[in-house]
């Protein structure tokens, strides 16, 4: 029992001590996980779901969007500096949009990220990033 | 708002500020007790005739004046840490407002549902109506609903500013390129004033912040009317 606790303690310590530079990679992985979490709890990917289930997902999602008040607490960004929260949701929306459009699917699931980044990001930043994307000089990877 | 010859804090308008005021009263009482005790000892020492030319040690008094200050420090630190953690509690806000500092005005964005944004300039002194406050009034106030956690995201467009409302117990720097988050809960309806708190140029003293806390229904009516207006 003591050995198990020790192992758990070590793994927790290792997680807490993740260096700051790894935060970016962690953030990317976390947003990947967040996207996967929104997928249905089955072992088939979204594209393989039967149409009925896909529709149910879309309905649930619409309800979630209708109940939207403001960006909820995001445990990936628990502190005062929310710059990364805004940036990450902006990236996630455009990546989601790009990925789902490439597969020819409905991009409604991406609207969550849209609502969150609209809540968080100053309009001037969004305008600037949109212009940068149009000119092809956007610094993020979409 | 602050009043002339004011000594204490403004009346608290949020639960956190109430706690801060109580803590301040508690810590100040400890300070008064220590200071008056020290003053009494000094006066007694100076005024008395007896002198002791033979220095002795005394274990007992050494123990007392080590342990007692430690206890006093704990008595001050525990409520302080309680409030520190209270301020950091995770709450899911009902509304997000962005406050952006410019030279020399604030702009507010309410983008949870529709895109509402407006500038908030100080009312010049010559344009004040009787009863309004000099250097504190603005043309468009930041309206928020009462008794709801409000998240404010603060940034700046040019230089560093600082967004503060003392009666809410809120102060946060507005740094260009950074989005600083703070939350507060207006306990009661009212109008609450603050002033830019980071030197930002010629008109640093002339870019105030005004929060108008109203019941939710009034907030909804206001935001609808602002959307039509802007």
């Amino acid at each position: 029992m003591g050995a198990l606790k020790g192992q758990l303690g070590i793994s927790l310590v290792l997680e807490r001590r993740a260096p700051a530079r790894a935060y970016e990679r962690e953030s990317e992985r976390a947003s990947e996980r967040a996207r996967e979490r929104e997928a249905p709890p089955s072992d088939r990917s979204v594209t393989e779901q039967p149409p009925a289930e896909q529709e149910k997902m879309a309905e649930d999602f619409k309800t979630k969007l209708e109940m939207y008040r403001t960006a909820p607490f995001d445990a990936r960004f628990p502190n005062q500096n929310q710059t990364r929260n805004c940036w990450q949701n902006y990236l996630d929306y455009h990546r989601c949009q790009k990925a789902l459009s490439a597969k020819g699917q409905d991009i409604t699931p991406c609207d969550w990220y849209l609502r969150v980044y609209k809540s968080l990001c100053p309009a001037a930043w969004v305008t600037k990033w949109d212009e940068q994307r149009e000119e092809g000089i956007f610094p993020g990877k979409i | 708002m602050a009043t002339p010859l004011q000594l204490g804090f403004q009346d608290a308008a949020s639960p956190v500020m109430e706690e801060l005021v109580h803590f301040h009263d508690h810590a100040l009482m400890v300070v008064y007790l220590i200071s008056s005790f020290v003053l009494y000892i000094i006066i007694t020492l100076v005024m008395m005739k007896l002198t002791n030319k033979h220095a002795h040690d005394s274990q007992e008094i050494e123990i007392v004046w080590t342990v007692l200050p430690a206890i006093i420090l704990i008595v001050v630190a525990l409520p302080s840490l309680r409030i520190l953690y209270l301020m950091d509690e995770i709450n899911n806000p009902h509304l997000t407002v962005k406050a952006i500092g410019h030279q020399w005005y604030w702009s507010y964005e309410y983008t949870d549902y529709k895109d509402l944004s407006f500038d908030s300039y100080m009312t010049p002194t010559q344009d004040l109506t009787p009863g309004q406050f000099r250097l504190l009034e603005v043309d468009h106030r930041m309206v928020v609903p009462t008794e709801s956690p409000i998240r404010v995201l603060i940034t700046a467009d040019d230089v560093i500013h600082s967004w503060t409302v003392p009666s809410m117990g809120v102060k946060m720097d507005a740094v260009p390129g950074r989005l600083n988050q703070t939350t507060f809960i207006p306990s009661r309806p009212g109008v609450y004033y603050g002033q830019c708190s980071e030197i930002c140029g010629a008109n640093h003293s002339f870019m105030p912040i005004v929060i108008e806390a109203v019941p939710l229904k009034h907030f909804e009516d206001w935001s609808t009317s602002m959307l039509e207006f802007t």
Side-chain angles (χ1 to χ4, degrees):
Chain A
M1 186 58 170
L4 181 63
K5 258 175 91 169
Q7 283 173 355
L8 286 173
I10 286 168
S11 67
L12 284 170
V13 161
L14 281 175
E15 277 177 0
R16 270 204 293 275
R17 287 207 189 132
R21 265 167 290 167
Y23 178 73
E24 286 187 17
R25 297 196 291 279
E26 183 57 50
S27 181
E28 303 286 300
R29 282 201 291 272
S31 54
E32 281 295 315
R33 283 198 291 272
R35 274 201 287 278
E36 281 159 23
R37 246 180 276 126
E38 289 200 2
S42 83
D43 48 8
R44 288 179 292 174
S45 78
V46 176
T47 47
E48 294 165 9
Q49 292 284 327
E53 272 206 45
Q54 277 190 15
E55 245 188 67
K56 182 177 176 301
M57 253 174 62
E59 282 301 313
D60 288 343
F61 200 72
K62 279 201 182 79
T63 320
K64 189 175 163 196
L65 275 180
E66 275 161 27
M67 301 290 290
Y68 181 86
R69 256 204 300 215
T70 189
F73 170 73
D74 190 337
R76 297 174 295 166
F77 314 102
N79 297 319
Q80 176 182 308
N81 187 359
Q82 294 290 298
T83 318
R84 201 77 193 174
N85 195 353
C86 148
W87 171 253
Q88 196 60 53
N89 279 286
Y90 183 85
L91 282 184
D92 286 347
Y93 172 69
H94 289 98
R95 286 176 185 168
C96 171
Q97 199 186 30
K98 183 177 171 186
L100 290 186
S101 324
K103 286 187 194 154
Q105 285 174 12
D106 179 30
I107 59 165
T108 316
C110 307
D111 281 353
W112 175 260
Y113 300 118
L114 175 75
R115 296 296 297 268
V116 172
Y117 94 65
K118 276 207 166 299
S119 283
L120 297 176
C121 301
W125 292 11
V126 174
T127 315
K128 186 178 87 180
W129 292 336
D130 288 343
E131 284 167 10
Q132 284 179 337
R133 276 189 308 114
E134 275 164 35
E135 290 171 19
I137 54 172
F138 183 66
K141 194 179 84 161
I142 293 185
Chain B
M1 52 161 276
T3 49
L5 302 179
Q6 175 179 320
L7 287 177
F9 291 118
Q10 298 178 28
D11 289 341
S14 74
V16 164
M17 190 59 198
E18 281 178 52
E19 292 291 332
L20 285 170
V21 169
H22 292 319
F23 171 69
H24 174 264
D25 292 345
H26 167 74
L28 193 61
M29 184 52 71
V30 172
V31 166
Y32 285 153
L33 291 172
I34 294 172
S35 306
S36 43
F37 174 64
V38 169
L39 187 64
Y40 166 75
I41 297 292
I42 289 172
I43 290 173
T44 312
L45 278 177
V46 161
M47 304 296 283
M48 73 179 331
K49 285 194 182 133
L50 301 170
T51 51
N52 188 351
K53 288 189 286 191
H54 308 287
H56 297 280
D57 63 349
S58 164
Q59 283 291 6
E60 295 80 9
I61 197 172
E62 295 270 354
I63 289 172
V64 166
W65 69 33
T66 306
V67 168
L68 203 54
I71 293 172
I72 291 171
L73 285 174
I74 291 172
V75 158
V76 172
L78 285 180
S80 174
L81 289 170
R82 187 180 66 85
I83 294 179
L84 190 66
Y85 280 82
L86 183 78
M87 283 162 58
D88 253 358
E89 263 185 11
I90 294 162
N91 56 2
N92 266 318
H94 291 187
L95 178 70
T96 299
V97 186
K98 279 161 274 182
I100 297 145
H102 309 260
Q103 281 177 315
W104 288 278
Y105 62 97
W106 292 94
S107 62
Y108 300 107
E109 292 177 12
Y110 295 68
T111 48
D112 287 327
Y113 304 104
K114 300 254 167 69
D115 285 340
L116 168 61
S117 71
F118 55 90
D119 297 337
S120 178
Y121 279 85
M122 184 187 86
T123 307
T125 306
Q126 61 259 34
D127 297 343
L128 290 171
T129 56
Q132 286 191 312
F133 302 121
R134 191 179 70 90
L135 306 187
L136 286 175
E137 299 287 355
V138 295
D139 53 1
H140 300 115
R141 296 170 173 170
M142 176 177 141
V143 179
V144 292
T146 51
E147 293 181 15
S148 316
I150 314 282
R151 171 204 271 132
V152 188
L153 294 168
I154 299 156
T155 185
D157 209 25
D158 34 45
V159 298
I160 302 179
H161 302 265
S162 185
W163 193 86
T164 178
V165 184
S167 47
M168 299 284 180
V170 165
K171 184 181 292 186
M172 191 60 71
D173 273 5
V175 180
R178 182 181 164 111
L179 207 52
N180 276 335
Q181 172 181 275
T182 186
T183 50
F184 64 91
I185 303 176
S187 320
R188 52 191 166 85
V191 183
Y192 309 107
Y193 297 91
Q195 293 176 289
C196 178
S197 298
E198 185 63 45
I199 187 79
C200 54
N203 287 348
H204 155 68
S205 315
F206 310 115
M207 47 182 293
I209 297 127
V210 185
I211 291 184
E212 187 176 330
V214 294
L216 183 61
K217 175 75 178 48
H218 294 268
F219 171 74
E220 287 166 354
D221 294 340
W222 169 83
S223 54
T224 312
S225 70
M226 284 298 283
L227 278 166
E228 289 161 4
F229 171 67
T230 53

